[in-house]
Amino acid sequence: MPYISPNVREKFNSLSPELQDVILSRGEDIQSIHDLIRILDKIVKEGEG
């Protein structure tokens, strides 16, 4: 299971459960809000393509 920093956990938990599952399925650690934004950006771009 990917690591989610306590500094970002509140923001992560505010996302829908479905989106949380998609993020976790990527297997990437989230150390900062920038990591979370980067992953969300990838998800959006994949959805557009």
Side-chain angles (χ1 to χ4, degrees), residues 2 12 16-28 39-40 42-44 46:
F12 178 81
S16 71
E18 295 82 9
L19 186 52
Q20 290 179 23
D21 289 343
V22 171
I23 291 168
L24 292 174
S25 73
R26 295 174 169 267
E28 297 183 47
I39 293 168
L40 290 169
K42 284 182 188 178
I43 293 168
V44 168
E46 289 170 4

Side-chain angles (χ1 to χ4, degrees), residues 4-49:
I4 300 174
S5 168
N7 296 334
V8 184
R9 175 65 65 181
E10 185 177 340
K11 295 290 187 195
F12 178 81
N13 289 339
S14 72
L15 301 171
S16 71
E18 295 82 9
L19 186 52
Q20 290 179 23
D21 289 343
V22 171
I23 291 168
L24 292 174
S25 73
R26 295 174 169 267
E28 297 183 47
D29 289 344
I30 301 173
Q31 301 285 342
S32 69
I33 192 69
H34 299 290
D35 291 340
L36 181 58
I37 292 168
R38 178 180 46 78
I39 293 168
L40 290 169
D41 188 51
K42 284 182 188 178
I43 293 168
V44 168
K45 286 180 181 175
E46 289 170 4
E48 291 173 347

